[in-house]
């Protein structure tokens, strides 16, 4: 199975357009230890020719340009694209806005939970995707589905499952419940299986906590991409960027006793890769002590263009 990281950053990317905090400033200035990152998305293929996107980021046009695997096939008709399907893990702007760039009449399938598809359906701007060519397929949680192009199977089977998280920022309701109107299916993880080999990886770019059910599911996995938004819960407050904790945003941080480094310690996962890394996170600096902490704990910090063969 072929996997390529199109974007490793969280919403806003690195540098973020209106941010001059050290990570963004240094990325903008071409600092050798702080590489720019686009917004999170990966692409997967069983045959190396037809590709599935996991989320569609606002940076998708540039991501396609930078990714030779996603260029139109030279042996195809004048209009063609290797992108055959898009699977969404939530309704966040950084994960759905790229759908708008996939107009121009190319046939593909969109897969999403009922909650996320409801958001897509409710926003008429997505009707720019011609309904005769772009199929919207709602996928029930915990039910495996074959990922298809409009023409047939792509050799991958995905199982979507709910993970602890939060509804998209623009859908938050201040209903006093403390969960901002979040319902099951607002944030999901994906188990991606290659049919021919049975190889599996997990894609969880947003997650608020690892409960027992999630820990049992991912235990012993060969590969996981996981929410790397923040190193510490308070880092956006500490840097004067946003008066919100990671907890409030539905993202667990890396460090500390409630962090992902600790939660993954005994899960026996062979390869662990952080993705959806916010521009505030010190691990984005190649030579930072925090980067050393996560790499010493066996984690990779993903970067745009990273390729993994499973
Ligand atoms: C998130 O990951 O929490 C969202 O992308 C935040 C946002 O919409 O800015
Ligand atoms: Mn996000």
């Amino acid at each position: 199975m072929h996997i390529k990281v199109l974007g490793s950053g969280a919403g806003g990317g690195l540098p973020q357009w209106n941010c001059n905090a050290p990570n963004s400033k240094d990325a903008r200035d071409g600092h050798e230890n702080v590489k720019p990152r686009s917004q999170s998305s990966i692409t997967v293929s069983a045959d190396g020719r037809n590709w599935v996107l996991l989320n569609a980021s606002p940076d998708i046009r540039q991501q396609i340009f930078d990714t030779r695997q996603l260029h139109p096939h030279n042996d195809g008709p004048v209009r063609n694209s290797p992108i055959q399907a898009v699977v969404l893990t939530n309704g966040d702007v950084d994960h759905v806005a790229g759908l708008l760039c996939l107009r121009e009449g190319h046939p593909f399938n969109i897969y999403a939970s009922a909650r996320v598809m409801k958001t897509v359906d409710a926003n008429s701007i997505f009707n720019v995707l011609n309904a005769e060519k772009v199929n919207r397929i709602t996928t029930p949680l915990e039910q495996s589905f074959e990922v298809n192009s409009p023409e047939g199977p792509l050799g991958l089977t995905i199982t979507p499952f709910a993970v602890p998280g939060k509804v998209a920022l623009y859908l938050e309701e201040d209903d006093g419940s403390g969960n901002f109107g979040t319902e099951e299916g607002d944030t999901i993880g994906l188990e991606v299986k290659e049919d021919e080999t049975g190889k599996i990886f997990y894609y969880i770019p947003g997650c608020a906590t690892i409960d027992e059910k999630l820990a049992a599911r991912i235990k012993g996995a060969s590969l996981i991409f996981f929410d790397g938004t923040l190193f510490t819960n308070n880092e956006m407050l500490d840097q004067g960027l946003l008066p919100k904790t990671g907890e409030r945003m539905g993202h667990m941080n890396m460090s500390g006793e409630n962090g992902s480094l600790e939660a993954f310690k005994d899960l026996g996962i062979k390869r662990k890769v952080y993705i959806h890394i916010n521009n505030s996170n010190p691990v984005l600096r190649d030579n930072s002590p925090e980067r050393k902490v996560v790499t010493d704990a066996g984690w990779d910090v993903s970067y745009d263009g990273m390729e993994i063969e499973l």
Side-chain angles (χ1 to χ4, degrees):
M1 182 157 41
H2 315 285
I3 304 163
K4 187 157 186 175
V5 175
L6 303 178
S8 51
L14 179 74
Q16 181 170 307
W17 71 281
N18 62 346
C19 184
N20 216 23
N23 283 350
S24 283
K25 180 168 180 9
D26 288 345
R28 196 175 285 120
D29 289 348
H31 195 297
E32 62 173 340
N33 291 319
V34 190
K35 313 270 182 330
R37 283 172 154 81
S38 63
Q39 297 169 78
S40 67
S41 170
I42 69 170
T43 189
V44 191
S45 175
D47 63 7
R49 184 173 168 90
N50 298 293
W51 292 80
V52 178
L53 302 184
L54 305 189
N55 294 322
S57 103
D59 298 318
I60 194 168
R61 182 187 171 279
Q62 187 65 36
Q63 291 170 342
I64 292 171
F65 183 76
D66 291 340
T67 307
R68 66 184 158 74
Q69 293 91 337
L70 300 184
H71 295 173
H73 297 301
N74 288 329
D75 58 358
V78 284
R79 284 238 190 228
N80 83 84
S81 166
I83 297 172
Q84 304 295 339
V86 180
V87 187
L88 303 174
T89 65
N90 61 22
D92 287 3
V93 173
D94 48 341
H95 289 161
V96 303
L99 289 173
L100 299 174
C101 300
L102 299 179
R103 61 192 179 137
E104 318 292 358
H106 174 64
F108 66 100
N109 288 343
I110 303 172
Y111 297 90
S113 71
R115 282 285 290 177
V116 173
M117 199 63 92
K118 190 173 151 204
T119 301
V120 173
D121 289 344
N123 284 277
S124 55
I125 194 169
F126 291 110
N127 295 341
V128 73
L129 299 168
N130 181 346
E132 282 172 19
K133 297 191 173 182
V134 179
N135 306 301
R136 298 180 186 183
I137 302 163
T138 299
T139 54
L141 299 171
E142 301 293 347
Q143 285 185 30
S144 302
F145 62 90
E146 192 175 61
V147 188
N148 293 321
S149 76
E151 263 133 49
L154 296 168
L156 299 169
T157 297
I158 286 185
T159 311
F161 51 89
V163 298
K166 185 186 67 61
V167 70
L169 181 61
Y170 60 93
L171 295 173
E172 284 186 6
E173 290 166 17
D174 199 2
D175 57 3
S177 67
N179 78 357
F180 308 99
T182 303
E183 289 183 23
E184 190 175 72
D186 281 327
T187 308
I188 64 170
L190 305 173
E191 180 204 271
V192 183
K193 186 174 81 166
E194 185 179 44
D195 296 337
E196 198 179 321
T197 61
K199 289 180 178 172
I200 282 174
F201 76 94
Y202 291 91
Y203 193 62
I204 311 177
C207 188
T209 181
I210 300 197
D211 56 20
E212 276 179 30
K213 193 171 169 202
L214 181 55
R217 184 189 293 270
I218 60 181
K219 200 169 180 162
S222 305
L223 170 66
I224 189 166
F225 289 87
F226 192 76
D227 185 337
T229 310
L230 304 173
F231 190 76
T232 49
N233 192 36
N234 284 329
E235 75 190 35
M236 289 186 301
L237 288 144
D238 293 346
Q239 294 177 38
L241 297 174
L242 192 70
K244 274 186 189 170
T245 59
E247 204 174 354
R248 168 65 184 80
M249 293 183 74
H251 296 291
M252 72 188 291
N253 49 266
M254 297 173 174
S255 63
E257 62 180 29
N258 297 322
S260 51
L261 292 168
E262 179 66 26
F264 275 80
K265 218 171 57 181
D266 300 320
L267 293 182
I269 296 174
K270 288 180 198 65
R271 189 154 187 201
K272 301 169 287 192
V273 184
Y274 281 126
I275 195 159
H276 189 276
I277 307 158
N278 195 51
N279 51 68
S280 55
N281 194 324
V283 306
L284 291 172
R285 309 184 80 84
D286 293 345
N287 57 351
S288 67
E290 293 85 355
R291 168 69 74 88
K292 187 166 173 356
V293 168
V294 305
T295 51
D296 285 353
W299 284 82
D300 282 320
V301 173
S302 68
Y303 51 89
D304 295 15
M306 179 185 200
E307 294 190 26
I308 296 180
E309 293 291 321
L310 188 65

